[in-house]
Amino acid sequence: YPPNILFFFLPFSYAWSVLIVLQPLFAGIFLYLYLRNLKISNQGSVLGAITFAFSGFFIAWLEWGTVLHVALWLPLLLLSIDKLVIGSRYKVWSIIFLFSLCSAFFAGHLQTFFYLFLFVWVYFLARWFQYRSNIRILLLFLILNSLFVILTVIQWYPTLQLILESARNVDQSDWT
């Protein structure tokens, strides 16, 4: 996960503190950009960004350092989808989309990422139908998701091992 580079340069307590503080900061910035893209007023975008960054969900999970680092990428992903569907600078927004999706995956909370990934697909399809986009945009989206799979394959095996070794299998009782 890219922000984890902080742990190479700073003592653990400082790096962890910066990582925690970055969560509402990035979430607010990304949602502000997304809302401005939707033509929401500046004041409305600021209010939305602050509300999102300091919502109950964000405050409740703030100290964990993984859940929110997955969720904070959602507004940037939605912004990227809007830019791709409308047809604005494909290369730049393709890179931003791919970077955001990979960052969300590598942030470390698989359940939140699963929800995010499903929402991104539903949002893309809704926007694609809304703007009556051509098949090239759909192919681009499929290619970007395929690249995501290729770039994240290094994490699949350790994640599968962790799931198979987790205590969730052991603590489930047979209620029949």
Side-chain angles (χ1 to χ4, degrees):
Y1 182 59
N4 283 349
I5 194 106
L6 294 169
F7 289 99
F8 287 109
F9 302 111
L10 298 172
F12 181 83
S13 60
Y14 292 133
W16 183 258
S17 298
V18 170
L19 204 64
I20 297 304
V21 169
L22 286 178
Q23 294 172 128
L25 179 66
F26 282 167
I29 290 170
F30 294 159
L31 189 69
Y32 174 82
L33 295 172
Y34 174 64
L35 293 175
R36 290 300 295 156
N37 180 64
L38 294 178
K39 309 284 191 271
I40 306 292
S41 70
N42 193 40
Q43 295 86 358
S45 297
V46 169
L47 180 63
I50 291 171
T51 302
F52 179 64
F54 296 102
S55 65
F57 177 78
F58 268 71
I59 296 303
W61 291 101
L62 188 65
E63 67 183 273
W64 284 78
T66 57
V67 176
L68 299 184
H69 273 284
V70 174
L72 67 83
W73 294 102
L74 181 61
L76 193 58
L77 286 162
L78 301 181
L79 175 62
S80 301
I81 288 170
D82 281 354
K83 296 294 187 178
L84 290 172
V85 168
I86 294 170
S88 175
R89 299 172 58 181
Y90 292 114
K91 287 183 183 178
V92 172
W93 289 106
S94 294
I95 291 169
I96 291 171
F97 176 83
L98 191 58
F99 178 78
S100 300
L101 194 59
C102 289
S103 294
F105 177 78
F106 286 127
H109 198 266
L110 201 55
Q111 181 180 0
T112 306
F113 177 77
F114 176 72
Y115 298 143
L116 176 137
F117 191 72
L118 285 178
F119 189 81
V120 162
W121 266 92
V122 169
Y123 186 81
F124 170 77
L125 291 173
R127 287 301 216 182
W128 189 70
F129 283 117
Q130 177 185 7
Y131 286 103
R132 302 187 200 301
S133 293
N134 60 26
I135 197 74
R136 289 176 47 192
I137 300 300
L138 179 62
L139 289 175
L140 175 62
F141 191 72
L142 292 172
I143 289 169
L144 289 173
N145 278 275
S146 299
L147 285 171
F148 159 74
V149 169
I150 292 167
L151 291 172
T152 58
V153 75
I154 193 168
Q155 186 63 42
W156 295 355
Y157 182 70
T159 301
L160 183 60
Q161 262 187 320
L162 180 68
I163 290 169
L164 293 176
E165 297 293 328
S166 91
R168 290 184 184 243
N169 264 352
V170 176
D171 72 355
Q172 302 302 312
S173 297
D174 186 12
W175 292 93
T176 57

